[in-house]
Amino acid sequence: MESGSKSFLGRNRDNTTVLFLFFFTSAFYIYTAAPAVQPYRDTGELATVCATLSVAHPPGYPAYTIFGKFFNTAVLFGNPAYRTKIMSIVFTALFVSLAFMIMMRFKINAASAVFLCAVFVFSKVAWLLSIVCESYTPDLFFTAVLFYTAFFTKKYPEKLYVFAFIAGLSLGVRPTAVLAAVSFALIFFTKHGFQIGNYTRAAVFFLTGLSVYLYLPVRSASNPPDRKSVV
């Protein structure tokens, strides 16, 4: 009974820490974000694309654009660039919270995990990329979700199907997750072996997620605003 009570208290403390990390990271980056577009790479283009549901430069970033449009609609203050920055900030905060959860699953000391999360939040690169209109932070979050699903989720083959769908969708955010494909394959093969039927069904889920790329020809056919026509 005492052991169960300690376990419950530990989970409650971890959940509180996850929420704290999310809200602290969000508040800190929102406070430090400029109110307008910043001169960094493709920020102006991507802010415009998210605001107008246009089409970005190759590979098009369809899922990123759709998520960005959601934030441009849901956030009721600021200009399109600032609203798109809020998306970057939220995805960073989600990643930090998930990173803490992953470290807890690896039995890392909670204080050490919080410290490592803080090092990430205050690092120059993470800070910069979290307050601009870029696809790096959503990509980081989706890659972490894929790792958590592959490594920690127990129910198989259901987790394979969930993984496959998220993997396809994540390529519409930013296709850099393919660089981790071999690592993810090793996790699944080591833990669960290879059954062709399961992977055939997983391919259907993957293509379903990847179908977000249909946005590009459909939206292009409607002659959307030029991605450089809105500041």
Side-chain angles (χ1 to χ4, degrees), residues 7 71 93 209 219:
S7 177
F71 275 86
R219 186 59 178 151

Side-chain angles (χ1 to χ4, degrees), residues 110-199:
S112 299
V114 170
F115 173 76
L116 292 173
C117 288
V119 169
F120 174 83
V121 169
F122 293 115
S123 67
K124 180 179 179 179
V125 173
W127 193 344
L128 169 65
L129 296 181
S130 296
I131 57 174
V132 295
C133 308
E134 279 285 359
S135 59
Y136 301 113
T137 65
D139 177 52
L140 183 63
F141 171 71
F142 273 98
T143 303
V145 169
L146 290 173
F147 175 78
Y148 189 94
T149 303
F151 201 88
F152 294 115
T153 306
K154 301 296 184 184
K155 200 170 183 181
Y156 185 86
E158 288 82 357
K159 81 171 190 178
L160 175 62
Y161 306 149
V162 172
F163 176 92
F165 175 78
I166 297 174
L169 181 64
S170 73
L171 295 182
V173 172
R174 189 177 181 87
T176 50
V178 297
L179 299 175
V182 174
S183 299
F184 289 135
L186 287 174
I187 292 174
F188 275 101
F189 294 162
T190 301
K191 285 179 169 289
H192 307 289
F194 180 82
Q195 299 85 31
I196 190 167
N198 291 336
Y199 281 88

